[in-house]
Amino acid sequence: DSLGITTGMIVGEAGAGDGYFTFHLARRVGPEGIVYANDIDKDALEKLRVRMKKENVKNIETILSKADNPMFPPEKLDMVVMMNVFHHIDNPSEWMKNVILSMKPRAPMAFIETDPDKRSSMKDHFLTKKEILGRMEKTRFTFMRIFDFLERDTIYLFSLEPHP
């Protein structure tokens, strides 16, 4: 609800893994929408495909991506979502440059990241708000909003400015 994902949207999920969040997104966009679920782990994507077949879900497409390129189809995405993935991206500037090619103008980007300020045992693994915002300042994305209502996670919402 907070992200504004609605029926019929085309959403790219970066770092989908075996699909925990993917199936929630697929239900939200409905049969008129599609979720492009990518990951660099082909075994995880295979587990996702097995579950898709078992549950007869037809609005998810899997994509084997690269560490610096999400490999989403060009100019299709209404939104990109990452669930606990951003802190794993070694070169966020390059990754963001590549994902832009897949996004429609003004498309939002949402990160859901474990917040180290909310989980003291995770301080060394996850990025602080300041670190996330600092890394995103080096991209073409504009910070829009933080949602801080989740118990252990924080949601970051960015907007993609139109291509120059």
Side-chain angles (χ1 to χ4, degrees), residues 143-155:
F143 171 71
M144 292 175 58
R145 181 166 185 192
I146 286 180
F147 297 94
D148 221 1
F149 61 87
L150 297 171
E151 184 179 330
R152 64 179 204 166
D153 299 324
T154 296
I155 301 170

Side-chain angles (χ1 to χ4, degrees), residues 8 13 46 51 56 70 75 87-88 94 98 142 144 158 164:
E13 183 189 11
E46 182 55 31
R51 182 175 169 196
N56 197 30
E75 299 179 9
H87 66 279
H88 288 294
E94 184 68 17
N98 288 324
T142 302
M144 292 175 58
F158 298 88

